[in-house]
């Protein structure tokens, strides 16, 4: 479900029990994200799930053939590529567990607030499967050493451990309020932040010297534009 209020585009994960992701729900979520990003009245994007489950991952029951599994994984990968390229700040409010690809979705947000007592992480290894796509945002967010604690065991992180590692920013009784408050603060960057957000994720993937050179180029470009308009 997509709705806007006071500059916030709230996207509620819906669908199968556990808010599992199939081709239809992934396409809908990607479209909602793009719609919010293109809306000049929107200053921040909030992704939220239900009280029992933020997102339980891919809907494996929807897979009928090997081709279906590849198509579903490719759709997930495309969604995970889109999120760092958005120009608006993105926050997650997790009232319930974020598991498997649900954890990777949460990892792709800029700010994540969750309730105490929930679990966050992949579960595939415990079922004899490796989370090939879902592992990527987790590895980028916390590094291989910390990520492997979950990836190899299939045991999700408790909320407090997820906070220690930086998977979530805050553990609170009201994650939605915390996420919205952060989005309000993040909206103050205006046009500069809209250019800076996707660049920040690009710089994080570069080596140190290349990141500085790229940042300098973008700074110079921004400075010239801001002083000629």
């Amino acid at each position: 479900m997509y709705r806007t209020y006071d500059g916030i585009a709230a996207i509620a994960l819906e669908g199968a029990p556990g808010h599992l992701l199939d081709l239809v729900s992934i396409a809908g979520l990607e479209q909602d994200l793009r719609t919010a990003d293109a809306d000049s009245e929107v200053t921040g994007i909030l992704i939220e799930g239900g009280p029992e489950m933020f997102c339980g991952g891919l809907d494996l029951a929807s897979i009928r053939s090997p081709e279906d599994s590849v198509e579903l994984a490719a759709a997930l990968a495309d969604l995970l590529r889109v999120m760092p390229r958005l120009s608006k700040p993105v926050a997650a409010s997790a009232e319930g567990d974020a598991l498997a690809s649900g954890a990777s979705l949460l990892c792709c947000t800029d700010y994540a607030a969750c309730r105490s007592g929930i679990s966050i992480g992949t579960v595939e290894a415990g079922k004899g499967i490796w989370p090939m796509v879902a592992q990527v945002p987790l590895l980028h967010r916390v590094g291989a050493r910390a990520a492997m604690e979950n990836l190899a065991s299939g045991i999700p992180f408790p909320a407090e451990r997820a906070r220690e590692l930086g998977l979530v920013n805050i553990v609170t009784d009201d994650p939605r309020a915390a996420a919205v408050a952060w989005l309000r603060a993040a909206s103050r960057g205006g046009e500069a932040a809209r250019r800076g957000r996707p660049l920040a994720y690009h710089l994080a993937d570069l080596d140190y010297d290349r990141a500085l050179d790229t940042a300098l180029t973008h700074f110079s470009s921004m400075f010239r534009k801001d002083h000629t308009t």
Side-chain angles (χ1 to χ4, degrees):
M1 181 176 67
Y2 179 95
R3 61 189 179 94
T4 61
Y5 64 96
D6 296 334
I8 302 295
I11 302 172
L13 300 175
E14 296 179 317
H19 301 150
L20 300 179
L21 300 170
D22 59 13
L23 288 174
V24 173
S25 59
I26 289 174
L29 176 54
E30 182 174 338
Q31 182 58 55
D32 286 346
L33 289 168
R34 292 185 184 277
T35 297
D37 202 44
D39 188 340
S40 61
E41 300 298 316
V42 169
T43 60
I45 302 170
L46 175 68
I47 301 176
E48 52 189 342
E52 300 300 324
M53 182 72 72
F54 174 75
C55 177
L58 294 181
D59 185 2
L60 300 182
S62 68
I63 296 174
R64 296 289 182 266
S65 68
E67 291 75 18
D68 286 349
S69 65
V70 173
E71 186 179 10
L72 186 57
L76 173 65
D78 287 343
L79 173 63
L80 299 179
R81 286 190 185 98
V82 164
M83 293 186 67
R85 296 185 172 99
L86 299 172
S87 66
K88 308 285 177 67
V90 184
S93 169
E95 298 273 355
D97 297 344
L99 305 176
S101 298
S104 65
L105 183 62
L106 184 144
C107 283
C108 285
T109 62
D110 305 315
Y111 183 95
C114 75
R115 190 176 293 278
S116 179
I118 74 166
S119 297
I120 300 170
T122 65
V123 295
E124 289 88 334
K127 302 176 182 179
I129 309 170
W130 193 264
M132 289 297 180
V133 178
Q135 68 182 328
V136 175
L138 185 63
L139 288 164
H140 277 250
R141 182 63 70 184
V142 302
R145 170 71 73 178
M148 199 59 70
E149 182 180 331
N150 163 242
L151 293 173
S153 69
I155 301 172
F157 298 112
E160 287 71 18
R161 177 63 173 153
R163 170 67 182 86
E164 290 175 2
L165 295 175
L167 281 176
V168 298
N169 299 83
I170 186 172
V171 179
T172 172
D173 291 337
D174 194 345
R176 192 177 196 281
V180 169
W182 180 83
L183 287 171
R184 299 287 186 212
S187 70
R188 294 177 295 182
E191 181 59 30
R194 285 189 282 276
R195 294 197 297 266
R197 180 194 184 271
L199 177 61
Y201 285 103
H202 176 60
L203 296 178
D205 291 334
L206 302 179
D207 66 60
Y208 191 70
D209 285 338
R210 285 188 63 202
L212 286 173
D213 290 342
T214 302
L216 181 59
T217 298
H218 281 269
F219 174 81
S220 299
S221 175
M222 179 180 68
F223 186 84
R224 286 194 298 270
K225 180 177 181 180
D226 289 347
H227 284 74
T228 57
T229 56

